[in-house]
Amino acid sequence: MMKTNKLTLPILLAFAFFSCEKNQISQTELDGEIIVISQSQGATLGYSKKSGVSILDKDGLHFKDLNKNGQLDKYEDWRLSSDERAKDLASKLSVEQIAGLMLYSSHQSIPAAPGGFGAGTYGGKPLSESGLPTHSLSDQQKKFLEEDNLRHVLITRVESPEIAARWTNEAQAFVEGLGMGIPANNSSDPRHGPVARTEYNAGAGGTISMWPESLGLAATFDTELVERFGEVASMEYRALGLTTALSPQIDLGTEPRWNRLKGTFGEDPTLSADMARAYVDGFQTSKNGFEIANGWGFHSVNAMVKHWPGGGPEEGGRDGHFAYGKFAVYPGDNFKDHLIPFTEGAFKLNGKTKSATAVMPYYTISYGQDKKNQLNTANAYNEYLITDLLRGEYGYDGVVCTDWGVTGNEGPNPEDFRGKPWGLEDKTVEERHYQVLMAGADQFGGNNDIKPVLAAYQMGVEEHGEEWMRERFETSAVRLLRNIFQAGLFENPYLNPENTKATVGKPEFMDEGFEAQLKSIVMLKNKDSVLPLKEKTKVYIPQKFIPSTTNWWGVKSEEKWVDAINLAIAKNYFEVVSNSEEAEAALVFISNPESGTGYDPEDREKGGTGYVPISLQYGPYKAEHARSESIASGDPVIAPSVTNRTYKDKSITASNIKELETLLETKKSMGNKPVIAIIETGNPMIFAEFEREVQGILLHFGVQDQAILDILTGKKEPSALLPVQMPADMKTVELQMEDVPHDMECHVDEIGNAYDFAFGLNWSGKIEDERVRKYSKK
């Protein structure tokens, strides 16, 4: 019998054709429904009893008869390359089946919620009334898998790793019984971010290992650490049934106000390229005994890098998820730098897989960058950016998948979270699908419906003829299928839930993630060596203000005061006192200023354009130095009269200004006793408002509370560096160019240190090591 841990490998085993020994076969079952066949000279095969699949014997080797025709087709032959198999299968698929491959599902929660975003039913009822287990397929999932031929599923929340594994087995068994038996290629957005208040205990596991956010990974300036993160994350992904990562986000963070900057590797092209290369190598490469061929194997996950050709230079910092932020601009004529993380990083891997296997264009219109047709359309619609530049000049032949909702209709107002058809607002949904295909993309993110893809096919037939359009569809099908084949899913897509429980969040992975968090914390100030603090120091930790916010769906939260950190954990390090009088030091935990999205419906209702500043300071800010005329504008459907998106001379105050007030009030009450500011941020910020009032500053981009406490008490020495500049004031923010890195005057603190890219302190002072010498711009 095959060992239990090998039953879970959802891909091929290495084979030895040179051996003249008889192929040794063993068989076992998972949960009484999945048959797993191990063979000494070939691939491990897994299939469901319910799917109707049988096993073919050819020269003593076993193969799955996925299309149930009683013969071995090329695409069923695991001895052939992924490319050969993909081309064979693509030629056999109907137009409807290829159209289904082109779909990428909307966000799926396991189990589905009874209402709201991503809601689902089970036998027409909410799950709680259905009597079904939580790993069941929803009615909606069964429909898009069977009727729409969809095979790419985006997974969000899961009840537990075990439930994720059981749902995967349900889904794979379901699709294995349909048509050609094409497996599901399940995916996820990044899911390894830390939960701040969670306690870390050496030797204890968790639901998944927790690592720094991308900007925190960049702050380590350590590519080996990032590659190791990719390796660990890929093992956990595979154990969850995930074979594509919708990451990394490798846009350059050159616009300091952009609210997605936290998901980048910072503003520097060279650092971002190195981080991108390491990340993708980690995710895609299987090593040693886990490799099958060309770097692909048991631990490999396809990486979908985003967002081509770089979504960072948003005008005024406004984001492309909304109509008010649809334009990326290039006042510094620096388009080329934004390609570097792709062309010199993700597309030039050190590992055998050579290149990231998928790319996602961003929602934005890369304004003025279409050198062929001079069209200002969203990147996914742009033939020059996809076909001429990405595929032509850079030779990329992987999957190009649109961002989610690109082909949908926008809402009645610029702030509505609806479809994002920028540049094609006045076209139909079907016409937008056709334009995506003609631009050279392969797949439609967030679309479960096959009908507009089939309509686009017919448009192509009318314009180019049946033969041409069929060939166009098959070209995309080969790319999409290749990524499923190389992950080994056609042989065995099934999981052992017990192995999943043992792998995801196991203690060794949790430990590595926590160590990485420690390496991502930047010490910016340590006046008179106030840090580290002695353990059991009496510390005052004031509560933290959480402002009222409105999410993307228009739901508003209430403002509140909360404990700044997990006080139970803090008490393991310090004697936490309730007021500043008793304290020997104060620890003030704050977040970066929050001033909104750059668009305010109330301004529009009062007769304005709706466009307002995004400020990186807490206090009142008037945009005296903003552009008088916006670089880009235009919305033919909902705001045709707005031809200038300037916010010059408008004012705004951060919604969380009470955090600054808390810090200043704490300093006043503490007198000459030290105050340490611990700041979580996803963007650059203005330190001039408070820096001289505190003795110490720690900056992080999302870590567990315990990691901060380890640094504060000297259990770990700070080693991270700034992956972005910290501006001196808002004037330099307004005068910088959205597309240019390292172009701001930086804050200089009272000690004389400039908070510039690659700056950081350790206990000895300013860090001047090999990382600084390699990446610093001075």
Side-chain angles (χ1 to χ4, degrees):
M1 294 290 289
M2 189 165 53
K3 291 183 180 179
T4 301
N5 64 342
K6 289 191 176 181
L7 302 183
T8 66
L9 300 176
I11 36 188
L12 311 179
L13 289 172
F15 15 93
F17 296 119
F18 54 81
S19 174
C20 60
E21 296 181 5
K22 183 178 179 181
N23 189 25
Q24 301 297 312
I25 306 293
S26 62
Q27 179 174 305
T28 190
E29 291 188 5
L30 292 175
D31 293 335
E33 295 183 357
I34 308 300
I35 304 296
V36 179
I37 297 174
S38 172
Q39 45 190 337
S40 62
Q41 296 185 32
T44 294
L45 308 178
Y47 68 98
S48 169
K49 292 180 180 179
K50 299 182 293 185
S51 70
V53 165
S54 60
I55 298 298
L56 301 171
D57 188 326
K58 185 175 179 60
D59 301 325
L61 301 175
H62 284 188
F63 304 84
K64 290 167 67 174
D65 185 13
L66 289 164
N67 61 3
K68 309 171 188 66
N69 67 353
Q71 61 186 37
L72 181 63
D73 296 282
K74 283 185 177 181
Y75 88 91
E76 297 166 333
D77 190 341
W78 41 256
R79 296 169 299 184
L80 302 178
S81 71
S82 294
D83 199 57
E84 288 177 280
R85 299 174 72 186
K87 289 177 180 177
D88 177 65
L89 180 53
S91 70
K92 291 177 165 62
L93 296 178
S94 68
V95 168
E96 289 76 13
Q97 288 169 323
I98 296 176
L101 279 177
M102 290 177 168
L103 302 176
Y104 220 126
S105 84
S106 58
H107 299 69
Q108 301 297 306
S109 178
I110 303 171
F117 181 72
T121 56
Y122 297 80
K125 302 176 181 178
L127 180 66
S128 60
E129 300 174 15
S130 70
L132 295 172
T134 55
H135 62 261
S136 303
L137 296 178
S138 70
D139 299 333
Q140 292 74 23
Q141 290 163 353
K142 289 179 180 179
K143 177 188 178 301
F144 65 59
L145 290 171
E146 183 170 12
E147 297 179 21
D148 298 287
N149 298 312
L150 184 149
R151 291 296 180 271
H152 293 79
V153 184
L154 174 57
I155 306 298
T156 56
R157 184 188 63 84
V158 297
E159 181 179 294
S160 69
E162 181 183 5
I163 293 301
R166 294 188 182 281
W167 181 91
T168 294
N169 288 348
E170 289 278 336
Q172 298 293 8
F174 185 77
V175 297
E176 190 174 69
L178 303 174
M180 296 290 185
I182 299 172
N185 181 0
N186 303 326
S187 69
S188 174
D189 282 309
R191 58 193 313 120
H192 282 82
V195 179
R197 294 175 181 244
T198 304
E199 185 172 8
Y200 165 74
N201 292 302
T207 54
I208 199 164
S209 62
M210 292 187 282
W211 296 69
E213 303 285 359
S214 291
L215 201 55
L217 290 172
T220 69
F221 283 63
D222 185 343
T223 55
E224 291 184 5
L225 181 151
V226 172
E227 184 170 349
R228 178 57 184 165
F229 161 69
E231 292 172 354
V232 170
S234 67
M235 286 185 265
E236 293 183 305
Y237 270 40
R238 289 305 298 252
L240 290 167
L242 303 169
T243 43
T244 293
L246 302 188
S247 60
Q249 183 190 337
I250 58 177
D251 311 282
L252 281 189
T254 52
E255 169 44 58
R257 295 162 291 189
W258 186 34
N259 65 12
R260 297 199 69 184
L261 194 150
K262 186 177 183 178
T264 75
F265 290 126
E267 66 181 298
D268 185 69
T270 303
L271 178 63
S272 295
D274 290 349
M275 291 291 177
R277 186 184 309 109
Y279 189 110
V280 177
D281 263 332
F283 263 92
Q284 291 191 171
T285 305
S286 292
K287 299 177 180 178
N288 304 321
F290 296 100
E291 181 184 359
I292 302 165
N294 301 319
W296 293 97
F298 306 148
H299 293 165
S300 297
V301 171
N302 294 286
M304 183 181 291
V305 295
K306 53 190 186 183
H307 306 89
W308 178 264
E314 306 276 22
E315 184 164 22
R318 300 182 294 268
D319 182 61
H321 278 82
F322 300 88
Y324 56 70
K326 64 175 69 175
F327 296 104
V329 295
Y330 301 86
D333 195 25
N334 194 37
F335 180 77
K336 65 182 188 307
D337 268 8
H338 293 264
L339 304 182
I340 290 173
F342 298 90
T343 61
E344 302 303 315
F347 299 166
K348 288 187 178 179
L349 303 182
N350 293 327
K352 296 179 183 179
T353 66
K354 296 183 180 179
S355 175
T357 59
V359 174
M360 182 190 297
Y362 202 36
Y363 296 117
T364 46
I365 295 168
S366 294
Y367 194 74
Q369 300 308 308
D370 183 341
K371 308 303 182 186
K372 181 179 182 180
N373 301 308
Q374 285 75 52
L375 295 176
N376 284 313
T377 61
N379 298 323
Y381 296 127
N382 197 285
E383 181 189 15
Y384 169 74
L385 295 176
I386 303 299
T387 295
D388 294 79
L389 192 64
L390 177 62
R391 298 211 187 278
E393 184 171 341
Y394 293 108
Y396 186 76
D397 192 38
V399 169
V400 176
C401 177
T402 76
D403 213 329
W404 265 233
V406 165
T407 55
N409 293 320
E410 63 183 330
N413 301 301
E415 71 274 16
D416 293 333
F417 187 71
R418 303 282 184 86
K420 304 147 186 62
W422 313 144
L424 273 72
E425 296 91 344
D426 54 355
K427 302 296 184 183
T428 66
V429 170
E430 292 78 12
E431 287 170 332
R432 293 171 196 149
H433 279 75
Y434 183 56
Q435 182 58 40
V436 167
L437 293 173
M438 293 304 99
D442 306 293
Q443 200 166 28
F444 305 94
N447 180 14
N448 303 347
D449 184 3
I450 197 174
K451 291 190 289 293
V453 186
L454 295 177
Y457 181 83
Q458 289 305 318
M459 292 178 189
V461 171
E462 292 174 10
E463 183 172 357
H464 300 285
E466 183 83 40
E467 183 178 355
W468 188 94
M469 197 58 191
R470 169 72 198 197
E471 183 179 352
R472 170 67 189 86
F473 255 43
E474 284 193 31
T475 297
S476 286
V478 170
R479 294 174 183 139
L480 292 160
L481 289 167
R482 189 165 52 208
N483 289 0
I484 305 176
F485 276 112
Q486 63 198 10
L489 293 173
F490 276 86
E491 276 57 66
N492 183 18
Y494 297 101
L495 303 172
N496 183 330
E498 292 302 316
N499 182 74
T500 294
K501 285 198 297 184
T503 300
V504 181
K506 70 179 181 179
E508 300 96 304
F509 293 167
M510 299 296 290
D511 180 63
E512 289 187 76
F514 187 75
E515 287 297 313
Q517 291 180 50
L518 290 167
K519 292 179 180 179
S520 74
I521 299 168
V522 187
M523 184 164 69
L524 293 177
K525 187 175 182 180
N526 193 19
K527 186 179 181 181
D528 300 326
S529 298
V530 65
L531 295 175
L533 298 174
K534 293 180 179 179
E535 289 197 50
K536 303 308 177 184
T537 295
K538 292 182 179 180
V539 299
Y540 170 54
I541 306 176
Q543 284 197 313
K544 189 175 188 292
F545 175 73
I546 307 297
S548 172
T549 59
T550 301
N551 68 16
W552 284 1
W553 296 276
V555 179
K556 192 171 185 177
S557 66
E558 297 296 323
E559 65 178 48
K560 57 186 176 181
W561 289 89
V562 299
D563 289 338
I565 61 170
N566 187 328
L567 294 180
I569 297 176
K571 288 175 182 177
N572 295 328
Y573 293 79
F574 299 112
E575 181 180 342
V576 179
V577 298
S578 60
N579 57 72
S580 56
E581 288 78 12
E582 299 177 58
E584 299 172 85
L587 306 177
V588 184
F589 290 79
I590 59 177
S591 300
N592 60 282
E594 300 174 11
S595 63
T597 62
Y599 190 85
D600 185 0
E602 291 185 6
D603 178 81
R604 182 186 67 223
E605 292 164 5
K606 294 176 182 177
T609 61
Y611 292 90
V612 296
I614 298 175
S615 177
L616 301 181
Q617 67 185 41
Y618 295 100
Y621 166 64
K622 184 176 182 180
E624 297 175 353
H625 303 282
R627 295 187 183 105
S628 298
E629 295 283 335
S630 63
I631 293 174
S633 65
D635 195 313
V637 178
I638 61 175
S641 63
V642 179
T643 58
N644 183 7
R645 299 185 175 205
T646 184
Y647 50 85
K648 184 175 173 61
D649 293 328
K650 292 183 179 180
S651 298
I652 198 165
T653 301
S655 61
N656 60 336
I657 189 175
K658 289 183 180 178
E659 295 199 61
L660 174 64
E661 294 170 355
T662 297
L663 179 62
L664 298 178
E665 289 168 2
T666 301
K667 171 58 182 173
K668 184 177 179 181
S669 67
M670 288 292 292
N672 293 325
K673 293 183 288 187
V675 176
I676 315 299
I678 301 98
I679 307 166
E680 178 178 1
T681 187
N683 292 87
M685 55 186 288
I686 308 299
F687 281 84
E689 292 180 292
F690 62 88
E691 175 265 313
R692 290 178 178 268
E693 303 300 317
V694 298
Q695 283 68 50
I697 300 175
L698 294 182
L699 187 77
H700 68 96
F701 308 96
V703 296
Q704 290 171 263
D705 294 341
Q706 198 166 343
I708 294 290
L709 295 166
D710 275 2
I711 296 287
L712 287 169
T713 53
K715 288 187 175 181
K716 186 76 175 183
E717 184 172 17
S719 61
L721 307 169
L722 285 176
V724 288
Q725 293 180 313
M726 295 294 162
D729 50 38
M730 281 304 297
K731 178 180 179 181
T732 193
V733 172
E734 295 289 5
L735 296 181
Q736 60 88 35
M737 292 178 281
E738 285 92 337
D739 58 325
V740 177
H742 314 300
D743 64 341
M744 293 192 292
E745 177 188 350
C746 295
H747 176 76
V748 178
D749 68 16
E750 64 175 316
I751 300 169
N753 288 320
Y755 293 179
D756 204 347
F757 175 79
F759 168 75
L761 301 173
N762 57 23
W763 302 141
S764 301
K766 185 177 179 180
I767 298 172
E768 298 281 3
D769 59 14
E770 183 57 36
R771 299 172 301 160
V772 176
R773 289 187 285 273
K774 179 177 181 180
Y775 291 107
S776 177
K777 300 303 147 183
K778 293 183 179 179

